[in-house]
Amino acid sequence: MSQAPEAGRGATVTPMRVVIALCLIAPFVAMLWVGSYAKTDPAFIGIPFFYWYQMAWVLISTVLTTIAYKLWQRDQRARSAAKGGASE
């Protein structure tokens, strides 16, 4: 029985890639679960919860996407260095 070469393998699941996926999936889950934020109370400086919750997720999504991007770059550099290639 022959083993498939390492280069021929599909995507590798690593803990870092799981964290990246969670960072990218969290905003979708938060926004698609409408029952969790479809209310007016508690109001924040006169703005109903429904609106400020969504605006907060715009900022949170930005931070999570930036984290995922930086982790992806680190993962790609580590994989490139492990294969002996030069990192960009």
Side-chain angles (χ1 to χ4, degrees):
M1 294 188 172
S2 65
Q3 295 287 346
E6 190 70 26
R9 283 185 52 193
T12 304
V13 177
T14 62
M16 186 177 299
R17 289 184 177 191
V18 171
V19 172
I20 291 168
L22 290 174
C23 285
L24 295 175
I25 291 172
F28 288 104
V29 172
M31 291 293 95
L32 290 175
W33 185 20
V34 178
S36 69
Y37 64 90
K39 52 189 173 186
T40 57
D41 289 328
F44 177 69
I45 60 171
I47 302 170
F49 180 74
F50 180 80
Y51 295 112
W52 68 258
Y53 179 82
Q54 290 182 346
M55 287 296 106
W57 270 102
V58 169
L59 300 174
I60 294 167
S61 298
T62 303
V63 171
L64 290 175
T65 303
T66 303
I67 290 169
Y69 177 70
K70 295 295 183 184
L71 289 175
W72 181 256
Q73 285 182 324
R74 182 184 298 174
D75 184 55
Q76 292 304 306
R77 281 193 305 267
R79 289 172 59 89
S80 178
K83 289 182 181 179
S87 63
E88 294 182 37

